[in-house]
Amino acid sequence: MTEAKTETGAEPKIVIVVAVATNGVIGREGDLPWRLSTDLKRFKALTIGKPVVMGRKTWASLGRPLPGRANIVISRNRDFEAQGAEVVPSLEAALELARKHAAAVGAGEICIIGGGEIYRQSIAVADVLHVTEVQAEVDGDTRFPAIDPAVFERVFEEELPRGEKDSHAMHFVTWRRRETAE
Ligand SMILES: NC(=O)c1ccc[n+]([C@@H]2O[C@H](COP(=O)([O-])OP(=O)(O)OC[C@H]3O[C@@H](n4cnc5c(N)ncnc54)[C@H](OP(=O)(O)O)[C@@H]3O)[C@@H](O)[C@H]2O)c1
């Protein structure tokens, strides 16, 4: 089977985009437990023009497709329909479809945008993690898995003060999967 390639012929990178509190929380009762306008802008900049992959519950929390991006929703329910998105039955099927979309538009990345269940399954195949570290301990019911520093290397960090429309200060951190000897 031939894999879909981007314009340059390379496989698109699998990139996780997430905002995480200092205690690992990412969600509460199906929603985000904060208001971070600065992070929403960063999220848009990181994902625009790229296929985005998400779980059915995250899709429900968005309430509409993210514009300017192919929206791919994972659900075990074969009858589930999502207007403005494509529904697939597994993470593998989502990545396969996302590779086709990435090849069609020449995108070098596929973005995994949550939530907890999908992050837990996809961190094993992710090349890059764009993590917004929310500078607070927050109550919630959904968490991001621990990042293993033996697997991922912290390659970028930027501290941001709390803006007018942000409930908390943030650190933007990028982790890259370490090269392994073949
Ligand atoms: N802080 C952040 O950056 C961030 C980002 C995204 C989401 N969130 C938050 O995270 C929470 C949602 O996360 P969640 O863990 O509850 O749900 P989720 O990961 O968004 O979606 C879970 C659903 O995805 C489907 N699914 C998961 N694994 C599957 C597999 N292997 N094969 C087929 N389908 C599969 C199932 O859908 P069916 O039940 O339909 O089968 C499952 O119920 C919300 O609070 C949201 O606001 C936070």
Side-chain angles (χ1 to χ4, degrees):
M1 193 185 87
T2 47
E3 296 278 3
K5 306 280 184 193
T6 60
E7 263 180 354
T8 57
E11 276 288 294
K13 291 212 178 312
I14 299 175
V15 176
I16 282 180
V17 184
V18 64
V20 191
T22 51
N23 56 347
V25 165
I26 64 164
R28 182 169 60 220
E29 293 172 1
D31 211 341
L32 298 175
W34 43 65
R35 226 172 83 80
L36 298 170
S37 171
T38 304
D39 189 51
L40 292 182
K41 289 195 189 95
R42 180 184 200 242
F43 176 84
K44 184 173 181 187
L46 287 171
T47 58
I48 198 78
K50 301 166 191 170
V52 290
V53 171
M54 71 196 92
R56 193 259 310 157
K57 292 181 184 172
T58 293
W59 166 260
S61 79
L62 290 178
R64 65 177 178 102
L66 294 171
R69 287 147 279 195
N71 286 237
I72 300 170
V73 177
I74 308 177
S75 172
R76 293 188 180 89
N77 178 354
R78 302 266 170 174
D79 297 326
F80 185 70
E81 286 180 18
Q83 210 174 0
E86 290 167 282
V87 181
V88 292
S90 67
L91 176 63
E92 294 69 31
L95 293 175
E96 194 180 324
L97 179 59
R99 285 191 191 100
K100 287 186 185 145
H101 280 294
V105 297
E109 295 180 344
I110 292 166
C111 297
I112 311 281
I113 62 163
E117 278 189 45
I118 298 303
Y119 289 139
R120 270 196 297 285
Q121 296 168 57
S122 59
I123 196 166
V125 294
D127 300 299
V128 175
L129 317 176
H130 287 302
V131 181
T132 299
E133 294 180 350
V134 181
Q135 298 301 293
E137 288 206 2
V138 174
D139 284 340
D141 50 32
T142 316
R143 284 166 194 274
F144 193 72
I147 299 171
D148 183 350
V151 176
F152 292 99
E153 175 184 13
R154 220 169 154 105
V155 292
F156 173 82
E157 179 156 2
E158 182 186 6
E159 288 185 28
L160 270 103
R162 179 180 163 185
E164 230 172 72
K165 294 183 186 165
D166 301 321
S167 53
H168 307 284
M170 289 148 272
H171 291 185
F172 290 157
V173 179
T174 301
W175 299 80
R176 190 170 302 143
R177 181 174 290 277
R178 292 180 186 276
E179 304 268 332
T180 48
E182 301 263 324

